[in-house]
Amino acid sequence: MLVKKLLGKAEPRIWTKPLRKLTPKTTLGYAIIEYANNVLHETLYPWQEWLLIHMFEIIGDLESPNWRFRFRTVVVEVARQNGKTKLSKIIASFFQNVLGVESIFGTSLSLEKAEEVWDAVVDEQENNPLLASEIDTVARRNGGKKLILKGNRVYKVGAPPRRAGRGDSNDLVLLDELREQRDWETWSAAVASTVAKPRGITICFTNAGDPDSVVLREVRSKAIEKIDGTKANDFGGNVNAEALGLFEWSAPEKAESDDVKALAQANPALGYGRLTIDALMANRETFPESKFRSECMCQQVETILPEPFPEGAWLGGQDEHSYIREDSELFWGIEMSQDRRYTVIAVCGMREDGNYHVELVDRRIGSEWAIDWFRARAPKYGEMKLCFQGRGAPVSGLAEQICTIDGITRMAQEGPDLSAGWNRFYDAVAACTPGDQRGGVKVYHLPQPALDTPGRTCQLRNLGGGIMLPDRVKSPDDISPLMAVAMAYAGATQINKKERKVYESSYASGSSLLFI
């Protein structure tokens, strides 16, 4: 009996769809594949060909001089040892020799990684009779390697500090291991260097990140929100969501580490070269599970870190038709991100079925706007009950200031009330777990990406005595949206209910009620 060979999946699990049918006239990918085969004599894996065709989609027609790339930024996520370096080499060589671009810049957290691609390009250029005659200069000094072709076409590599690429104008930027970037300095400097180029493009190769992969996590979130058609958050990282492409080969969420089909989805080169399922399973035996999932399954931190609520609970409480009933009293929650960049306002009220509804109603950069927000609405509602963490939170001072406004009632959650309020919220979320038999009140929420993300990734800290509270520092995402709704719920469930005032929501798509 013949056993079918296990092969990696050529198509990624998550990807940005093309605007039109991809043909040799609507993407440069076919030309790059031909160049790789006929000039560089490279045999590409199916996933590499698929990616080249999709990532180099163009706007316009290649027969016209005014064409440009659809994407200004491309993020490629794939597990290690699948051929990223080879692909980078082919792209750089094509841009320099066929497109004849003026400047290519490569960088990585480790300069050695960037030089690895550069060395491969130089070796190919020097040893290929069709390309060698184009060489002007090869500078190999440490920290300043340059391949200069005739006509002053330059490919150089540089270290990744905050000034990487700054001051240059590059046609192509190759950023390796985006997962290692812990702030926006390198990204902003390197990516901004393509702005002046009509066909400038930045290509980032990486595998899955960890909780500290600030740039990758936020750029990926923005790309996925665009793919899903939901509102993209403003991450302030010089990223234009309209010109951002994501191509991610990764194992499905919750896939077991020994699931060979999941491994084939994350390792598209599996079975085509030296990468075998036996080699992956050997890694599984020796790697810590979190590292194996990140590097060999390309799974995001959401599948590595424990969720704050029972499995399926947060999704079980998601209801796009949820709303607050007409006569319910409203409780407002306010929070601020750990870095004080964002301020979030939420609301909680009772549903027709006796359960509760929570919702983000606004989230903006800064804090002063929140004072004006409540000052403008307090007269309309007569009384607004403001719920917040009274001590030890970034928002505490701002909330106290808002409480001086006429019509705002202070409902600070602090001391025993803080932990008790969080426990009530936790139990209400947990009660939404499919098949849960504990009964009791439930809390529902609309599908809102800014809330759903921390609802799945928030990390808890043990204060002793069975007391658990969200950990702002160790949580990989901004948990202020989750804390805002939790505080509103805590206030709503600790006092008697009175009449409800109609509320406003400018934040949510498909929100319960409209602004007055």
Side-chain angles (χ1 to χ4, degrees):
M1 177 178 172
L2 294 177
V3 179
K4 187 176 180 180
K5 186 178 181 181
L6 182 65
L7 298 175
K9 303 294 184 181
E11 184 177 298
R13 189 173 68 90
I14 302 173
W15 55 288
T16 306
K17 305 303 186 289
L19 298 177
R20 54 182 173 165
K21 184 178 180 180
L22 298 179
T23 70
K25 289 186 177 181
T26 61
T27 172
L28 204 62
Y30 290 100
I32 300 176
I33 294 169
E34 184 178 356
Y35 174 78
N37 292 336
N38 299 332
V39 178
L40 302 183
H41 307 295
E42 293 280 11
T43 301
L44 295 172
Y45 298 143
W47 84 271
Q48 293 171 323
E49 292 190 352
W50 187 100
L51 177 60
L52 288 171
I53 291 170
H54 286 78
M55 75 193 300
F56 288 113
E57 179 182 357
I58 69 163
I59 301 295
D61 193 314
L62 285 173
E63 297 179 357
S64 167
N66 298 320
W67 67 268
R68 59 182 173 83
F69 292 116
R70 175 193 173 186
F71 303 119
R72 300 285 303 193
T73 306
V74 175
V75 176
V76 180
E77 279 194 74
V78 64
R80 293 191 184 280
Q81 305 301 316
N82 277 273
K84 296 191 292 285
T85 300
K86 176 180 175 180
L87 203 54
S88 296
K89 179 198 76 169
I90 292 170
I91 292 169
S93 182
F94 180 87
F95 268 65
Q96 204 172 25
N97 287 286
V98 180
L99 293 185
V101 300
E102 295 177 346
S103 181
I104 300 174
F105 176 68
T107 190
S108 175
L109 181 70
S110 166
L111 183 57
E112 199 173 294
K113 286 293 294 181
E115 290 179 342
E116 182 180 339
V117 177
W118 184 89
D119 287 336
V121 172
V122 171
D123 183 67
E124 188 77 59
Q125 194 82 29
E126 290 179 327
N127 293 287
N128 188 311
L130 292 175
L131 305 179
S133 61
E134 291 297 309
I135 297 175
D136 184 313
T137 306
V138 179
R140 288 188 166 88
R141 63 183 181 274
N142 289 335
K145 291 187 173 183
K146 291 183 181 181
L147 169 62
I148 305 175
L149 303 187
K150 293 176 181 178
N152 201 31
R153 292 168 281 161
V154 181
Y155 172 24
K156 62 183 178 181
V157 291
R162 62 191 303 267
R163 296 189 64 82
R166 196 179 295 278
D168 296 334
S169 184
N170 298 306
D171 299 276
L172 169 66
V173 172
L174 295 172
L175 286 178
D176 193 39
E177 291 305 328
L178 187 62
R179 71 187 300 274
E180 300 296 345
Q181 293 187 23
R182 303 321 197 201
D183 57 48
W184 291 96
E185 294 295 341
T186 297
W187 172 276
S188 298
V191 173
S193 71
T194 66
V195 171
K197 299 286 188 174
R199 296 173 184 165
I201 185 170
T202 299
I203 299 175
C204 312
F205 286 99
T206 186
N207 64 303
D210 56 36
D212 294 324
S213 302
V214 174
V215 178
L216 172 59
R217 289 176 59 76
E218 296 191 350
V219 172
R220 179 180 181 271
S221 293
K222 195 164 191 176
I224 289 177
E225 287 181 350
K226 188 64 183 176
I227 291 170
D228 292 343
T230 55
K231 181 179 178 181
N233 293 327
D234 174 19
F235 293 119
N238 292 335
V239 185
N240 176 6
E242 298 297 329
L244 172 61
L246 173 68
F247 303 94
E248 179 182 307
W249 281 264
S250 61
E253 297 178 4
K254 305 303 180 185
E256 297 296 332
S257 59
D258 61 351
D259 184 336
V260 293
K261 291 185 178 180
L263 287 167
Q265 182 65 77
N267 294 271
L270 184 65
Y272 291 100
R274 296 180 180 179
L275 186 62
T276 65
I277 194 66
D278 289 339
L280 290 174
M281 287 303 177
N283 286 344
R284 178 173 176 266
E285 295 300 319
T286 58
F287 284 19
E289 183 172 1
S290 61
K291 192 171 185 65
F292 179 78
R293 287 183 177 275
S294 174
E295 296 195 359
C296 299
M297 301 183 74
C298 208
Q299 286 184 320
Q300 304 303 314
V301 68
E302 290 85 344
T303 62
I304 298 172
L305 294 176
E307 294 188 19
F309 305 106
E311 184 175 354
W314 186 259
L315 185 61
Q318 191 177 93
D319 179 2
E320 63 181 6
H321 301 297
S322 183
Y323 65 93
I324 295 174
R325 75 188 190 196
E326 191 68 24
D327 62 343
S328 174
E329 192 170 19
L330 298 181
F331 296 82
W332 305 88
I334 188 168
E335 254 295 350
M336 187 181 290
S337 59
Q338 179 70 9
D339 61 5
R340 306 184 68 84
R341 178 173 174 81
Y342 287 99
T343 302
V344 181
I345 298 173
V347 70
C348 177
M350 189 170 285
R351 299 173 11 136
E352 294 284 0
D353 60 4
N355 291 305
Y356 283 89
H357 170 96
V358 293
E359 179 181 332
L360 298 187
V361 294
D362 216 331
R363 177 178 183 260
R364 304 182 205 172
I365 293 174
S367 59
E368 290 299 316
W369 67 268
I371 299 173
D372 296 333
W373 195 96
F374 279 99
R375 182 176 288 120
R377 288 159 181 77
K380 298 179 183 179
Y381 298 129
E383 180 186 18
M384 298 181 75
K385 293 180 170 63
L386 184 61
C387 312
F388 59 95
Q389 184 173 336
R391 289 177 292 181
V395 79
S396 300
L398 173 65
E400 295 291 0
Q401 187 176 354
I402 293 173
C403 287
T404 64
I405 299 172
D406 289 341
I408 304 295
T409 298
R410 180 181 185 273
M411 293 191 66
Q413 307 295 309
E414 50 194 22
D417 287 341
L418 178 64
S419 56
W422 170 259
N423 286 342
R424 291 197 300 276
F425 179 70
Y426 180 96
D427 290 343
V429 173
C432 296
T433 306
D436 187 88
Q437 301 296 320
R438 75 187 70 195
V441 69
K442 299 179 179 181
V443 60
Y444 292 92
H445 55 91
L446 299 174
Q448 293 180 297
L451 176 60
D452 291 334
T453 299
R456 296 182 55 210
T457 65
C458 173
Q459 297 299 288
L460 303 180
R461 57 192 172 103
N462 192 334
L463 301 182
I467 299 175
M468 303 286 285
L469 284 176
D471 192 321
R472 301 173 191 276
V473 176
K474 292 186 177 180
S475 295
D477 297 287
D478 174 20
I479 68 170
S480 61
L482 183 67
M483 288 298 293
V485 299
M487 293 299 97
Y489 180 84
T493 53
Q494 76 175 16
I495 65 171
N496 294 327
K497 310 300 180 288
K498 298 180 182 178
E499 63 180 3
R500 174 189 179 274
K501 311 280 192 306
V502 176
Y503 79 98
E504 310 169 6
S505 175
S506 63
Y507 181 82
S509 173
S511 55
S512 311
L513 296 170
L514 298 177
F515 263 174
I516 309 174

